[in-house]
Amino acid sequence: MADVTWDVHTSSEEFLVDICEQAQKENGLIGNHKQGAPVVKLSGDIAVKFGHGVKASEARTQEFARQNADPSIVHIPRVYRFFERDEIGRASGRE
C-alpha cells in the first residue's frame, strides 16, 4: 500500500473504508476470518477489524480491559475508533 498520511481520529469514515478495502486487496487479511470478523493491517501498528460481527460493545469492552488489565500479564490492543456504516461495524486498534 502506498504511503499515505492520514489520522485515524480525524479521517472521514469514507476514507477509512477505502483504505481498508485497498489494504485488503493489496495485502489480504490477517488471522483466520472464517472463525471471526476479518482483520486487515493498515500499518506496522494499526489493524482494523470489520464486518457484521463487530459491535460497539466489543470496542467498549476491549477498551475497558485495556485500561484495567495488568500489561505485564496480557497485551490488549488499543481501540482508536469505532463506527458503524451500512450495518457493518468497523473498529480499529493497535496490534
Side-chain angles (χ1 to χ4, degrees), residues 59-71 74-80:
R60 287 191 305 268
T61 299
Q62 183 170 323
E63 192 56 32
F64 175 84
R66 178 179 166 77
Q67 292 172 359
N68 292 284
D70 182 345
V74 63
H75 170 72
I76 300 171
R78 176 180 173 199
V79 174
Y80 286 109

Side-chain angles (χ1 to χ4, degrees), residues 22-33:
Q22 180 182 352
Q24 183 176 355
K25 287 177 187 171
E26 292 180 12
N27 306 319
L29 300 172
I30 59 176
N32 182 0
H33 70 281

